[in-house]
Amino acid sequence: MEETNTWRSKYMVEIPRVLDPSEDHTRFEKYKSRYMGRYNQVDATKADISYEEFGAMVENQHYSFNVGDRVVGRVEKFDGPQRAMIEIGAKTFALLPLREATIAPISSGENIADFITIGEEYEFEIVSDTRDDGQVMLSLKRIAYEKAWEKLIELYTQDPVIEGTVVQVNRGGAIVLVEGLRAFCPGSHILGSAVATEALVGQPMQLKFLEVNRETSKLVVSQKRAVLEHAMEEIQRGNLVQGVVSAIKNYGAFIDLAQGSLSGLLHISQISYDRVTDIQSTLQEGMPIKCMVLDSDKSNGRIALSTKSLEPEPGMMLHDPQRVFDLAEDTAAKYHARLEAERIAREQAAQEMVLGLGDDLEALTSEQQSSGAIDNDLDVIENSP
């Protein structure tokens, strides 16, 4: 009861009273005695809750916010272009600074209103509770960061082709933004050149993951791997492909098929039906060329090529290679038609063989049945009286 009286004397509106001048009084008590209004008499029986119960509820209501906690809050107002005040149930507003409003890079001229809306509710993470004014600081960026990592780890297991945007280049490669996170693409995995140039900044890039490690925050991607695997899907035996001679060796020539990310070997034995003694007399580095795919190993990215299959006449690659390339489409079409005819012929031969075996089996069965009938007749004769 003493606690109730203390609460009543502290918070309730009372009739002004004269203070005893012989006692010491606080400044609040002096103002209270001078300016407090009339005490309103209330019928407590008609109220859902008493003053004492309401006072106990107020005293027992405590808010405790710790760094790392997640809370749901509503955007109440903007405090300038770089801050927002968030209602999270505390006695004062929490603060959301612009730098914690998004995981994406903030461009010049963007402000807090570009990322959140007044009246909307969001999930925040508490990043600081030690401001001098006791105001809690919140972050949307931390939550977006965690969600982005979760998504990338899931994508890593699925291994799809993803898209990123180059935001920075250096001597080692390019920094690419993927799902809001900064990934590194080594220069050796960028198409066309081992050195990333400023011309790449702002450009989209098709990528595949090389490494995703949440513990070390390591994210490495490859443009070549994405292009290579996509190109290998298009490489089928018998396909006609175009490329450029990238290197010449004693045993053949390497053909660049996809801007440095995919190459095939044109072996010396597959250049022409005639014997080739000097490859460089027929092929030169940088020379455009058309070839037919003999075989492909998708797991290792190896492709075997042939120009011999494109020769309209044996030996034409040695004295008129351009003529071979000009007629390559027609020659390839005839080649595929011949393969298809051979396939049909093989299937028909196999079918006739099966049918022939069936006829022989039927004849053999009939012969066996006839032989069995004769034997039965003999048995009947022998057993006749």
Side-chain angles (χ1 to χ4, degrees), residues 70-76 78 86-88 96 101 112-125 138-140 143:
R70 292 192 176 185
V71 295
V72 175
R74 184 179 67 255
V75 181
E76 288 295 325
F78 298 131
I86 312 298
E87 170 58 49
I88 57 174
L96 175 69
I112 193 77
D114 295 321
F115 304 103
I116 57 175
T117 304
I118 291 179
E120 292 293 326
E121 289 190 347
Y122 302 89
E123 185 181 24
F124 301 91
E125 181 173 320
L138 305 177
S139 174
L140 286 171
I143 296 178

Side-chain angles (χ1 to χ4, degrees), residues 182-208:
R182 293 165 65 89
F184 178 63
C185 183
S188 59
H189 285 266
I190 298 175
L191 291 179
S193 174
V195 179
T197 64
E198 290 292 337
L200 290 174
V201 176
Q203 298 298 316
M205 187 179 286
Q206 298 295 311
L207 304 163
K208 276 214 163 189

Side-chain angles (χ1 to χ4, degrees), residues 351-369:
Q351 186 176 10
E352 290 174 359
M353 182 181 295
V354 172
L355 292 175
L357 290 174
D359 293 340
D360 293 343
L361 182 60
E362 184 177 353
L364 179 61
T365 303
S366 299
E367 183 179 347
Q368 289 176 345
Q369 290 176 347

Side-chain angles (χ1 to χ4, degrees), residues 368-383:
Q368 289 176 345
Q369 290 176 347
S370 298
S371 176
I374 293 173
D375 292 340
N376 289 336
D377 291 341
L378 292 174
D379 291 340
V380 173
I381 294 172
E382 291 175 357
N383 293 324

Side-chain angles (χ1 to χ4, degrees), residues 105 162-170 173-179 181-186 189-191 195-207 221-223:
I162 59 174
E163 184 171 296
T165 302
V166 180
V167 294
Q168 184 182 343
V169 295
N170 52 45
I175 306 299
V176 188
L177 209 60
V178 180
E179 295 294 332
L181 298 179
R182 293 165 65 89
F184 178 63
C185 183
H189 285 266
I190 298 175
L191 291 179
V195 179
T197 64
E198 290 292 337
L200 290 174
V201 176
Q203 298 298 316
M205 187 179 286
Q206 298 295 311
L207 304 163
V221 293
S222 169
Q223 184 187 30

Side-chain angles (χ1 to χ4, degrees), residues 339-350:
L339 290 181
E340 182 65 15
E342 292 175 356
R343 184 188 65 80
I344 294 174
R346 287 195 300 270
E347 290 181 355
Q348 289 178 345

Side-chain angles (χ1 to χ4, degrees), residues 92-107:
T92 60
F93 288 122
L95 173 66
L96 175 69
L98 176 60
R99 67 177 183 273
E100 296 292 340
T102 177
I103 193 175
I106 300 173
S107 303

Side-chain angles (χ1 to χ4, degrees), residues 9-25:
S9 63
K10 185 175 181 181
Y11 293 104
M12 287 186 62
V13 178
E14 298 178 338
I15 300 174
R17 64 178 184 273
V18 178
L19 299 180
D20 188 350
S22 62
E23 298 179 357
D24 293 330
H25 301 284

